[in-house]
Amino acid sequence: MRDFGQYLRLFRRQSRDPERGGLLTQERLGELIGLILGDSGYSGAAVSDWERGKSKIHQDDRAVLTAIIQVLHQCGGIQTVEESSNMLRSGNYRALNESEREQIFQGQAENGANNAADEYHQGLTDDEDEVSAVKTK
């Protein structure tokens, strides 16, 4: 089982820098966290320490934890609420509450699979409508 730092590294490496392109660096992740929090953010060394388990974010720093999830989601590293929950729980943090989920994922289904399934089924319905229209002509 992965720990919080391993998840953080995994999702950061799957993320793309939205402005600069390329992979999301530790330093850039720290900067983007700061933009969300409205402060100077964190150094690349701090992010490195989190990833290596050398330091831990205090549970009371919930804004930092949710900012990390938000940045990683916006940059494409974290795709689902379930991934964010796994990452948080691996660090003994509580999963996102309803308000946090809504703010970050904007109504995405709990595991992401429901949205994909709904889109797939909607596509089938659209295809069936097209087939029905052709048959009636």
Side-chain angles (χ1 to χ4, degrees):
M1 180 173 185
R2 291 188 170 110
D3 63 25
F4 180 83
Q6 291 169 324
Y7 272 115
L8 179 59
R9 177 176 286 138
L10 171 72
F11 291 131
R12 179 183 59 79
R13 287 181 173 172
Q14 292 175 356
S15 297
R16 308 289 296 170
D17 189 318
E19 294 172 13
R20 300 178 185 170
L23 297 178
L24 188 64
T25 65
Q26 291 170 334
E27 183 174 340
R28 185 68 172 141
L29 174 58
E31 291 173 10
L32 293 173
I33 293 167
L35 287 175
I36 289 173
L37 297 175
D39 63 24
S40 60
Y42 291 86
S43 68
V47 174
S48 175
D49 286 348
W50 296 337
E51 288 182 354
R52 293 178 297 121
K54 298 292 182 189
S55 68
K56 185 174 175 163
I57 301 163
H58 194 278
Q59 287 183 317
D60 291 341
D61 289 334
R62 190 68 183 174
V64 174
L65 293 166
T66 57
I68 290 169
I69 300 295
Q70 186 170 348
V71 169
L72 293 175
H73 177 63
Q74 290 173 347
C75 294
I78 290 180
Q79 301 292 319
T80 66
V81 174
E82 183 178 24
E83 289 174 338
S84 71
S85 295
N86 289 341
M87 180 175 153
L88 290 169
R89 288 186 185 121
S90 72
N92 293 319
Y93 303 113
R94 67 175 168 78
L96 298 174
N97 64 34
E98 185 176 340
S99 172
E100 293 165 336
R101 284 192 307 269
E102 185 62 32
Q103 176 188 350
I104 296 168
F105 292 93
Q106 299 172 357
Q108 180 178 324
E110 180 68 28
N111 63 9
N114 291 343
N115 281 352
D118 289 346
E119 289 173 16
Y120 173 75
H121 290 297
Q122 182 59 45
L124 289 179
T125 303
D126 292 344
D127 290 345
E128 290 168 359
D129 290 343
E130 289 176 21
V131 169
S132 295
V134 169
K135 285 181 179 178
T136 58
K137 288 185 177 179

